[in-house]
Amino acid sequence: MVWPNEDYLKLPGSYLFSTVARKQREFSAAHPEAKIIRLSIGDVTQPLAPVIIDALHKAVDEMASAETFKGYAPDLGYEFLRNVISEKDYKARGCDIAPDEIFVSDGAKGDCGNIQEIFAKDCKVAVCDPVYPVYVDTNVMAGRTGTYDEKTGTWSDVIYMPCTAANGFAPELPREVPDLIYLCFPNNPTGATITKDQLQVWVDYANKEGAVIIYDAAYEAYISEENVPHSIYECEGARECAIEIHSFSKNAGFTGVRLGYTVIPKDLKAGNVQLHSLWARRHGTKYNGAPYIIQKAGEAVYTSEGQAQLKEQVAYYMKNAATIREGLAAAGYTVSGGVNAPYIWLQTPNNMTSWEFFDYLLEKANVVGTPGSGFGPSGEHYFRLTAFGSYENTVEAIERIRRM
Ligand code: MLT
């Protein structure tokens, strides 16, 4: 007799964005005339930049001839990509990260979810609240989170670090000492950031306590302010305590193409075990690498042409962010984010719950967003809008919201 993994059965409801999509589908079915604008999941809408399309075409042609055909990719990813990541994302910023400390993957979501596998089951996890649900849900699946309290929406064995208006949506050091600390800056969902000095405090804390920080830098391309770090390795001592996860989805529009990477410095240890070698073992056993074609597209991101084209794309989305932020503020909403991140975090009006506001917005403005409470209890009475729509739809959505 076969039994399911009991830990999966503990997961409440479905994945946040699946629930949002289902509710949108149900509304559409009931109101087929409604012209729905989707500013919910952080999925890009602009086509891939020309330099990336060219790289894809060339790589496809290489696959057509025996001389240039590629089969399995190397475990850690092709050197041409790891070398350029090491140069452009790290050495150029004064960070000492070698190509063989970079693991290329098919996206940050998988890495964010899988990385917990190399840690002991009784590791205590700390997350920001609100939080990108993948960090918590994957620890639930691994049986690391204890029991769920439906009333509070929290897990007994998870340390929640509230990020509220009172602390500028920046977590404070937890009272109980964690083993694993998930941080994401610029933040999903609040769009908040912290300065390099603030991040240094976390690095020092992790080193003092022997904790590991899992740093999700998926939105670093959206940083516009000077003193905001693009990588945790800009902080002294981060090589001894931090893993960093990157995505090509948000900086280069790869949500449907899939590419990311994770950095594990060789200095990073759990006890006397190098975490780099554990992740390398996992990668080798469970993964056959991102496709050659896609890694060639990733390489094109770092060419000067690529950088120029992608700067324009980021600017396009950040114009949407400003449109949302300023439009909502003018309409009397309390808003934050949208300066160093493609997410705008707004307080729901009239003390509505996040899901009440979701329904209200869908019904009155035919706009879909993401309820803040879906990201954690401190997200209640908040709502997230994404800047990843088209400019025309973004302008139209804000007009509709202002008219509500
Ligand atoms: C989000 O909307 O939070 C993100 O798009 C989800 C993701 O990147 O997986």
Side-chain angles (χ1 to χ4, degrees), residues 224-350:
S224 66
E225 291 179 323
E226 271 299 304
N227 59 351
V228 178
H230 287 254
S231 162
I232 195 167
Y233 302 113
E234 290 176 39
C235 294
E236 222 170 289
R239 283 186 57 87
E240 285 82 40
C241 69
I243 290 173
E244 184 164 281
I245 298 174
H246 269 258
S247 170
F248 284 74
S249 290
K250 320 291 168 157
N251 65 328
F254 277 42
T255 53
V257 177
R258 307 310 304 155
L259 192 67
Y261 68 86
T262 286
V263 176
I264 308 191
K266 293 194 175 160
D267 301 343
L268 179 57
K269 289 189 174 157
N272 57 5
V273 175
Q274 231 186 17
L275 289 171
H276 181 281
S277 58
L278 289 195
W279 190 242
R281 183 71 171 84
R282 184 201 180 275
H283 229 59
T285 306
K286 290 197 175 184
Y287 191 58
N288 265 332
Y292 172 75
I293 296 165
I294 308 301
Q295 294 197 45
K296 285 306 275 184
E299 184 189 30
V301 165
Y302 292 94
T303 58
S304 45
E305 228 184 329
Q307 292 292 289
Q309 291 173 10
L310 294 172
K311 205 168 152 195
E312 261 178 47
Q313 212 168 71
V314 166
Y316 175 93
Y317 291 130
M318 287 313 275
K319 187 169 152 202
N320 291 347
T323 303
I324 300 172
R325 208 183 59 241
E326 287 157 20
L328 291 182
Y333 286 84
T334 303
V335 285
S336 59
V339 174
N340 293 296
Y343 294 124
I344 289 85
W345 191 237
L346 59 120
Q347 220 173 323
T348 59
N350 306 321

Side-chain angles (χ1 to χ4, degrees), residues 88-275:
K88 300 272 168 87
D89 283 349
Y90 293 105
K91 291 192 177 139
R93 294 186 174 129
C95 305
D96 172 26
I97 295 296
D100 66 353
E101 294 176 315
I102 295 164
F103 296 79
V104 174
S105 72
D106 62 356
K109 185 177 184 178
D111 286 357
C112 283
N114 293 326
I115 195 74
Q116 48 75 28
E117 282 185 25
I118 60 171
F119 296 94
K121 197 163 167 175
D122 60 357
C123 274
K124 194 88 183 207
V125 170
V127 294
C128 290
D129 168 27
V131 67
Y132 178 44
V134 170
Y135 312 151
V136 176
D137 286 3
T138 52
N139 276 288
V140 175
M141 292 169 176
R144 201 176 275 118
T145 53
T147 50
Y148 185 66
D149 180 341
E150 272 193 34
K151 256 215 208 109
T152 58
T154 57
W155 293 90
S156 59
D157 292 353
V158 172
I159 300 169
Y160 291 86
M161 306 183 290
C163 298
T164 61
N167 58 20
F169 303 104
E172 285 147 37
L173 296 177
R175 268 185 232 120
E176 186 186 349
V177 178
D179 302 303
L180 273 182
I181 305 166
Y182 286 83
L183 294 179
C184 170
F185 291 109
N187 187 258
N188 178 14
T190 66
T193 44
I194 58 174
T195 63
K196 186 171 163 195
D197 288 349
Q198 285 175 301
L199 187 56
Q200 184 68 56
V201 170
W202 283 94
V203 169
D204 293 345
Y205 172 78
N207 275 327
K208 178 168 136 267
E209 301 293 355
V212 169
I213 297 173
I214 296 169
Y215 194 73
D216 183 349
Y219 299 95
E220 70 81 19
Y222 290 83
I223 293 171
S224 66
E225 291 179 323
E226 271 299 304
N227 59 351
V228 178
H230 287 254
S231 162
I232 195 167
Y233 302 113
E234 290 176 39
C235 294
E236 222 170 289
R239 283 186 57 87
E240 285 82 40
C241 69
I243 290 173
E244 184 164 281
I245 298 174
H246 269 258
S247 170
F248 284 74
S249 290
K250 320 291 168 157
N251 65 328
F254 277 42
T255 53
V257 177
R258 307 310 304 155
L259 192 67
Y261 68 86
T262 286
V263 176
I264 308 191
K266 293 194 175 160
D267 301 343
L268 179 57
K269 289 189 174 157
N272 57 5
V273 175
Q274 231 186 17
L275 289 171

Side-chain angles (χ1 to χ4, degrees), residues 24 27-28 34-38 362 366-368 393 400:
Q24 180 192 326
F27 183 87
S28 277
K35 196 172 156 271
I36 291 179
I37 297 178
R38 201 169 72 126
L362 186 53
N366 300 159
V367 171
V368 190
N393 275 350
R400 290 188 199 170

Side-chain angles (χ1 to χ4, degrees), residues 15 17 40-43 109 132 188 219 250 343 375 384:
Y15 183 56
F17 295 105
S40 47
I41 192 162
D43 193 3
K109 185 177 184 178
Y132 178 44
N188 178 14
Y219 299 95
K250 320 291 168 157
Y343 294 124
F375 297 101
R384 193 194 77 175

